[in-house]
Short mmCIF file of all heavy atoms in Angstrom, two decimals:
data_model
loop_
_atom_site.label_atom_id
_atom_site.label_comp_id
_atom_site.label_asym_id
_atom_site.label_seq_id
_atom_site.Cartn_x
_atom_site.Cartn_y
_atom_site.Cartn_z
N GLU A 1533 230.99 -158.55 118.50
CA GLU A 1533 230.26 -159.66 119.11
C GLU A 1533 229.89 -159.37 120.56
O GLU A 1533 228.78 -159.67 121.00
CB GLU A 1533 231.07 -160.95 119.02
CG GLU A 1533 231.31 -161.44 117.60
CD GLU A 1533 230.05 -161.85 116.86
OE1 GLU A 1533 228.97 -161.90 117.48
OE2 GLU A 1533 230.14 -162.12 115.65
N LEU A 1534 230.80 -158.76 121.33
CA LEU A 1534 230.49 -158.46 122.73
C LEU A 1534 229.39 -157.41 122.83
O LEU A 1534 228.52 -157.48 123.70
CB LEU A 1534 231.74 -157.99 123.46
CG LEU A 1534 232.78 -159.07 123.76
CD1 LEU A 1534 234.04 -158.44 124.35
CD2 LEU A 1534 232.23 -160.13 124.72
N ALA A 1535 229.42 -156.43 121.92
CA ALA A 1535 228.40 -155.38 121.97
C ALA A 1535 227.04 -155.88 121.51
O ALA A 1535 226.01 -155.43 122.01
CB ALA A 1535 228.84 -154.20 121.10
N ASN A 1536 227.03 -156.80 120.55
CA ASN A 1536 225.76 -157.31 120.04
C ASN A 1536 225.16 -158.42 120.89
O ASN A 1536 223.99 -158.76 120.73
CB ASN A 1536 225.95 -157.81 118.61
CG ASN A 1536 225.87 -156.69 117.59
OD1 ASN A 1536 224.82 -156.12 117.35
ND2 ASN A 1536 227.01 -156.35 117.02
N ALA A 1537 225.97 -159.00 121.76
CA ALA A 1537 225.45 -160.09 122.60
C ALA A 1537 224.33 -159.59 123.50
O ALA A 1537 224.41 -158.51 124.08
CB ALA A 1537 226.58 -160.67 123.44
N THR A 1538 223.27 -160.37 123.59
CA THR A 1538 222.12 -159.99 124.41
C THR A 1538 222.09 -160.73 125.74
O THR A 1538 221.22 -160.48 126.57
CB THR A 1538 220.81 -160.27 123.66
OG1 THR A 1538 220.72 -161.67 123.37
CG2 THR A 1538 220.75 -159.48 122.35
N VAL A 1539 223.02 -161.66 125.94
CA VAL A 1539 223.08 -162.42 127.20
C VAL A 1539 223.79 -161.60 128.26
O VAL A 1539 224.49 -160.63 127.95
CB VAL A 1539 223.81 -163.76 126.99
CG1 VAL A 1539 223.01 -164.68 126.07
CG2 VAL A 1539 225.22 -163.54 126.44
N PRO A 1540 223.64 -161.98 129.54
CA PRO A 1540 224.39 -161.29 130.59
C PRO A 1540 225.90 -161.41 130.34
O PRO A 1540 226.39 -162.45 129.93
CB PRO A 1540 223.98 -162.03 131.86
CG PRO A 1540 222.64 -162.61 131.54
CD PRO A 1540 222.70 -162.97 130.09
N ARG A 1541 226.63 -160.32 130.61
CA ARG A 1541 228.08 -160.30 130.41
C ARG A 1541 228.74 -159.69 131.64
O ARG A 1541 228.30 -158.66 132.15
CB ARG A 1541 228.43 -159.47 129.17
CG ARG A 1541 227.89 -160.02 127.85
CD ARG A 1541 227.63 -158.91 126.86
NE ARG A 1541 226.69 -157.94 127.41
CZ ARG A 1541 226.54 -156.71 126.96
NH1 ARG A 1541 227.25 -156.28 125.94
NH2 ARG A 1541 225.66 -155.90 127.52
N VAL A 1542 229.81 -160.33 132.08
CA VAL A 1542 230.62 -159.82 133.18
C VAL A 1542 232.04 -159.65 132.68
O VAL A 1542 232.59 -160.57 132.06
CB VAL A 1542 230.59 -160.76 134.40
CG1 VAL A 1542 231.61 -160.31 135.45
CG2 VAL A 1542 229.20 -160.80 135.01
N VAL A 1543 232.63 -158.48 132.92
CA VAL A 1543 233.99 -158.19 132.47
C VAL A 1543 234.86 -157.98 133.71
O VAL A 1543 234.52 -157.18 134.59
CB VAL A 1543 234.03 -156.95 131.57
CG1 VAL A 1543 235.46 -156.66 131.13
CG2 VAL A 1543 233.13 -157.14 130.36
N ILE A 1544 235.98 -158.70 133.75
CA ILE A 1544 236.89 -158.62 134.90
C ILE A 1544 238.29 -158.30 134.39
O ILE A 1544 238.86 -159.06 133.61
CB ILE A 1544 236.93 -159.95 135.68
CG1 ILE A 1544 235.51 -160.36 136.11
CG2 ILE A 1544 237.84 -159.83 136.89
CD1 ILE A 1544 235.42 -161.78 136.62
N THR A 1545 238.84 -157.18 134.84
CA THR A 1545 240.23 -156.85 134.51
C THR A 1545 241.11 -157.47 135.59
O THR A 1545 241.05 -157.06 136.75
CB THR A 1545 240.43 -155.34 134.45
OG1 THR A 1545 239.56 -154.79 133.46
CG2 THR A 1545 241.86 -155.01 134.08
N THR A 1546 241.89 -158.44 135.21
CA THR A 1546 242.71 -159.15 136.18
C THR A 1546 244.11 -158.54 136.32
O THR A 1546 244.70 -158.58 137.39
CB THR A 1546 242.85 -160.63 135.79
OG1 THR A 1546 243.54 -160.74 134.54
CG2 THR A 1546 241.49 -161.28 135.68
N ARG A 1547 244.63 -157.97 135.21
CA ARG A 1547 245.96 -157.37 135.28
C ARG A 1547 246.10 -156.33 134.16
O ARG A 1547 245.43 -155.30 134.22
CB ARG A 1547 247.04 -158.46 135.20
CG ARG A 1547 248.38 -158.01 135.77
CD ARG A 1547 249.38 -159.13 135.92
NE ARG A 1547 249.69 -159.82 134.68
CZ ARG A 1547 250.75 -160.61 134.50
NH1 ARG A 1547 251.60 -160.81 135.50
NH2 ARG A 1547 250.96 -161.20 133.35
N LYS A 1548 246.91 -156.54 133.16
CA LYS A 1548 247.18 -155.52 132.14
C LYS A 1548 245.92 -155.18 131.34
O LYS A 1548 245.24 -156.08 130.84
CB LYS A 1548 248.27 -156.01 131.17
CG LYS A 1548 249.58 -156.38 131.84
CD LYS A 1548 250.65 -156.76 130.84
CE LYS A 1548 250.31 -158.00 130.03
NZ LYS A 1548 250.27 -159.22 130.84
N ALA A 1549 245.64 -153.89 131.18
CA ALA A 1549 244.46 -153.45 130.43
C ALA A 1549 244.74 -152.08 129.86
O ALA A 1549 244.58 -151.07 130.53
CB ALA A 1549 243.23 -153.42 131.33
N TYR A 1550 245.18 -152.06 128.60
CA TYR A 1550 245.68 -150.83 128.02
C TYR A 1550 244.89 -150.40 126.79
O TYR A 1550 244.59 -151.19 125.89
CB TYR A 1550 247.15 -151.01 127.60
CG TYR A 1550 248.08 -151.45 128.72
CD1 TYR A 1550 249.10 -152.34 128.46
CD2 TYR A 1550 247.93 -150.97 130.01
CE1 TYR A 1550 249.97 -152.76 129.46
CE2 TYR A 1550 248.78 -151.38 131.03
CZ TYR A 1550 249.80 -152.28 130.75
OH TYR A 1550 250.65 -152.68 131.75
N GLY A 1551 244.55 -149.12 126.77
CA GLY A 1551 244.09 -148.44 125.58
C GLY A 1551 242.89 -149.02 124.86
O GLY A 1551 241.93 -149.52 125.47
N ALA A 1552 242.97 -148.96 123.52
CA ALA A 1552 241.86 -149.39 122.68
C ALA A 1552 241.56 -150.87 122.85
O ALA A 1552 240.40 -151.29 122.73
CB ALA A 1552 242.17 -149.07 121.22
N ALA A 1553 242.58 -151.67 123.13
CA ALA A 1553 242.35 -153.10 123.31
C ALA A 1553 241.48 -153.36 124.54
O ALA A 1553 240.66 -154.29 124.55
CB ALA A 1553 243.69 -153.84 123.43
N TYR A 1554 241.64 -152.55 125.57
CA TYR A 1554 240.79 -152.65 126.76
C TYR A 1554 239.34 -152.35 126.40
O TYR A 1554 238.41 -153.04 126.84
CB TYR A 1554 241.31 -151.68 127.81
CG TYR A 1554 240.45 -151.50 129.04
CD1 TYR A 1554 240.28 -152.52 129.97
CD2 TYR A 1554 239.81 -150.27 129.29
CE1 TYR A 1554 239.51 -152.33 131.12
CE2 TYR A 1554 239.04 -150.08 130.44
CZ TYR A 1554 238.90 -151.11 131.34
OH TYR A 1554 238.14 -150.93 132.48
N VAL A 1555 239.15 -151.36 125.55
CA VAL A 1555 237.79 -151.01 125.11
C VAL A 1555 237.19 -152.13 124.26
O VAL A 1555 236.03 -152.53 124.45
CB VAL A 1555 237.81 -149.68 124.33
CG1 VAL A 1555 236.42 -149.36 123.78
CG2 VAL A 1555 238.29 -148.55 125.23
N VAL A 1556 237.98 -152.65 123.32
CA VAL A 1556 237.51 -153.72 122.46
C VAL A 1556 237.09 -154.94 123.28
O VAL A 1556 236.09 -155.60 122.97
CB VAL A 1556 238.62 -154.11 121.44
CG1 VAL A 1556 238.32 -155.44 120.78
CG2 VAL A 1556 238.76 -153.02 120.39
N MET A 1557 237.84 -155.23 124.34
CA MET A 1557 237.51 -156.38 125.20
C MET A 1557 236.34 -156.10 126.15
O MET A 1557 235.99 -156.95 126.97
CB MET A 1557 238.74 -156.78 126.01
CG MET A 1557 239.87 -157.40 125.20
SD MET A 1557 239.54 -159.10 124.66
CE MET A 1557 239.63 -160.00 126.20
N GLY A 1558 235.76 -154.93 126.05
CA GLY A 1558 234.58 -154.62 126.85
C GLY A 1558 234.88 -154.08 128.22
O GLY A 1558 233.99 -154.07 129.09
N GLY A 1559 236.11 -153.63 128.45
CA GLY A 1559 236.50 -153.16 129.78
C GLY A 1559 235.70 -151.97 130.26
O GLY A 1559 235.20 -151.16 129.49
N GLY A 1560 235.55 -151.87 131.58
CA GLY A 1560 234.85 -150.74 132.19
C GLY A 1560 233.40 -150.67 131.76
O GLY A 1560 232.65 -151.64 131.88
N ARG A 1561 233.02 -149.53 131.20
CA ARG A 1561 231.63 -149.31 130.77
C ARG A 1561 231.47 -149.51 129.26
O ARG A 1561 230.43 -149.15 128.70
CB ARG A 1561 231.20 -147.88 131.14
CG ARG A 1561 231.35 -147.53 132.61
CD ARG A 1561 230.49 -148.41 133.48
NE ARG A 1561 230.64 -148.07 134.91
CZ ARG A 1561 230.31 -148.90 135.89
NH1 ARG A 1561 229.84 -150.11 135.61
NH2 ARG A 1561 230.46 -148.53 137.14
N SER A 1562 232.48 -150.08 128.60
CA SER A 1562 232.51 -150.10 127.14
C SER A 1562 231.32 -150.81 126.51
O SER A 1562 230.87 -150.43 125.43
CB SER A 1562 233.82 -150.75 126.66
OG SER A 1562 234.94 -150.06 127.15
N ILE A 1563 230.82 -151.87 127.14
CA ILE A 1563 229.70 -152.62 126.56
C ILE A 1563 228.51 -152.67 127.52
O ILE A 1563 227.61 -153.50 127.35
CB ILE A 1563 230.12 -154.05 126.17
CG1 ILE A 1563 230.66 -154.82 127.38
CG2 ILE A 1563 231.13 -154.04 125.04
CD1 ILE A 1563 230.86 -156.31 127.13
N ASP A 1564 228.51 -151.79 128.51
CA ASP A 1564 227.42 -151.78 129.50
C ASP A 1564 227.23 -153.18 130.08
O ASP A 1564 226.11 -153.72 130.13
CB ASP A 1564 226.12 -151.29 128.85
CG ASP A 1564 225.02 -151.04 129.89
OD1 ASP A 1564 225.36 -150.81 131.06
OD2 ASP A 1564 223.83 -151.12 129.52
N ALA A 1565 228.32 -153.77 130.53
CA ALA A 1565 228.28 -155.12 131.09
C ALA A 1565 227.40 -155.16 132.33
O ALA A 1565 227.23 -154.15 133.04
CB ALA A 1565 229.69 -155.59 131.44
N ASP A 1566 226.84 -156.31 132.62
CA ASP A 1566 226.00 -156.47 133.81
C ASP A 1566 226.82 -156.31 135.09
O ASP A 1566 226.27 -155.95 136.14
CB ASP A 1566 225.35 -157.86 133.79
CG ASP A 1566 224.39 -158.00 132.63
OD1 ASP A 1566 224.86 -158.23 131.49
OD2 ASP A 1566 223.17 -157.86 132.84
N LEU A 1567 228.11 -156.58 135.01
CA LEU A 1567 229.00 -156.38 136.14
C LEU A 1567 230.39 -156.14 135.58
O LEU A 1567 230.87 -156.89 134.73
CB LEU A 1567 229.00 -157.61 137.06
CG LEU A 1567 229.79 -157.49 138.37
CD1 LEU A 1567 229.19 -156.40 139.28
CD2 LEU A 1567 229.83 -158.83 139.10
N SER A 1568 231.05 -155.07 136.07
CA SER A 1568 232.40 -154.73 135.62
C SER A 1568 233.30 -154.63 136.84
O SER A 1568 233.08 -153.77 137.71
CB SER A 1568 232.38 -153.41 134.84
OG SER A 1568 233.68 -153.11 134.36
N LEU A 1569 234.30 -155.51 136.89
CA LEU A 1569 235.14 -155.62 138.08
C LEU A 1569 236.62 -155.49 137.73
O LEU A 1569 237.01 -155.63 136.56
CB LEU A 1569 234.93 -156.97 138.76
CG LEU A 1569 233.51 -157.32 139.21
CD1 LEU A 1569 233.47 -158.77 139.69
CD2 LEU A 1569 233.04 -156.38 140.31
N ALA A 1570 237.42 -155.24 138.75
CA ALA A 1570 238.88 -155.32 138.62
C ALA A 1570 239.41 -156.07 139.83
O ALA A 1570 238.82 -156.04 140.92
CB ALA A 1570 239.49 -153.92 138.54
N TRP A 1571 240.52 -156.73 139.61
CA TRP A 1571 241.23 -157.38 140.71
C TRP A 1571 242.33 -156.44 141.20
O TRP A 1571 242.73 -155.50 140.49
CB TRP A 1571 241.82 -158.71 140.24
CG TRP A 1571 240.78 -159.79 140.11
CD1 TRP A 1571 239.44 -159.69 140.40
CD2 TRP A 1571 240.99 -161.13 139.66
NE1 TRP A 1571 238.80 -160.88 140.16
CE2 TRP A 1571 239.73 -161.79 139.70
CE3 TRP A 1571 242.09 -161.84 139.21
CZ2 TRP A 1571 239.56 -163.12 139.33
CZ3 TRP A 1571 241.94 -163.18 138.84
CH2 TRP A 1571 240.69 -163.81 138.90
N PRO A 1572 242.85 -156.64 142.40
CA PRO A 1572 243.88 -155.74 142.94
C PRO A 1572 245.11 -155.62 142.05
O PRO A 1572 245.84 -154.62 142.12
CB PRO A 1572 244.24 -156.38 144.28
CG PRO A 1572 243.00 -157.13 144.68
CD PRO A 1572 242.43 -157.66 143.39
N THR A 1573 245.37 -156.61 141.21
CA THR A 1573 246.54 -156.59 140.32
C THR A 1573 246.30 -155.82 139.04
O THR A 1573 247.20 -155.73 138.20
CB THR A 1573 246.93 -158.03 139.96
OG1 THR A 1573 245.74 -158.77 139.62
CG2 THR A 1573 247.61 -158.73 141.13
N ALA A 1574 245.11 -155.26 138.84
CA ALA A 1574 244.77 -154.60 137.58
C ALA A 1574 245.58 -153.33 137.36
O ALA A 1574 245.83 -152.55 138.29
CB ALA A 1574 243.28 -154.27 137.55
N GLU A 1575 245.98 -153.10 136.12
CA GLU A 1575 246.67 -151.87 135.71
C GLU A 1575 245.89 -151.27 134.56
O GLU A 1575 245.97 -151.72 133.42
CB GLU A 1575 248.11 -152.17 135.31
CG GLU A 1575 248.90 -150.91 134.98
CD GLU A 1575 250.39 -151.18 134.80
OE1 GLU A 1575 251.10 -151.28 135.82
OE2 GLU A 1575 250.83 -151.31 133.64
N LEU A 1576 245.12 -150.23 134.84
CA LEU A 1576 244.22 -149.61 133.88
C LEU A 1576 244.81 -148.30 133.40
O LEU A 1576 244.91 -147.33 134.16
CB LEU A 1576 242.86 -149.36 134.53
CG LEU A 1576 242.15 -150.58 135.12
CD1 LEU A 1576 241.13 -150.17 136.16
CD2 LEU A 1576 241.48 -151.37 134.03
N CYS A 1577 245.21 -148.25 132.13
CA CYS A 1577 245.74 -147.01 131.58
C CYS A 1577 245.79 -147.12 130.05
O CYS A 1577 245.48 -148.18 129.49
CB CYS A 1577 247.13 -146.69 132.14
SG CYS A 1577 248.34 -148.00 131.94
N ALA A 1578 246.18 -146.03 129.40
CA ALA A 1578 246.15 -146.00 127.94
C ALA A 1578 247.23 -146.88 127.33
O ALA A 1578 246.98 -147.62 126.37
CB ALA A 1578 246.30 -144.57 127.44
N ILE A 1579 248.45 -146.78 127.87
CA ILE A 1579 249.56 -147.61 127.39
C ILE A 1579 250.45 -147.93 128.60
O ILE A 1579 250.35 -147.27 129.64
CB ILE A 1579 250.39 -146.92 126.29
CG1 ILE A 1579 251.03 -145.63 126.81
CG2 ILE A 1579 249.55 -146.66 125.05
CD1 ILE A 1579 251.97 -144.98 125.80
N PRO A 1580 251.34 -148.91 128.50
CA PRO A 1580 252.24 -149.20 129.60
C PRO A 1580 253.00 -147.94 130.03
O PRO A 1580 253.38 -147.10 129.20
CB PRO A 1580 253.20 -150.25 129.02
CG PRO A 1580 252.39 -150.93 127.97
CD PRO A 1580 251.52 -149.86 127.38
N VAL A 1581 253.22 -147.83 131.34
CA VAL A 1581 253.81 -146.61 131.90
C VAL A 1581 255.16 -146.29 131.25
O VAL A 1581 255.43 -145.13 130.88
CB VAL A 1581 254.00 -146.76 133.42
CG1 VAL A 1581 254.69 -145.52 134.00
CG2 VAL A 1581 252.66 -146.98 134.09
#
Side-chain angles (χ1 to χ4, degrees):
E1533 296 295 353
L1534 288 174
N1536 277 290
T1538 61
V1539 293
R1541 297 151 302 161
V1542 171
V1543 179
I1544 305 167
T1545 301
T1546 63
R1547 202 170 58 164
K1548 302 184 297 293
Y1550 304 142
Y1554 172 69
V1555 175
V1556 165
M1557 291 286 290
R1561 305 298 180 200
S1562 302
I1563 59 170
D1564 190 24
D1566 295 79
L1567 185 64
S1568 182
L1569 302 173
W1571 284 358
T1573 45
E1575 184 171 280
L1576 303 158
C1577 55
I1579 62 174
V1581 177

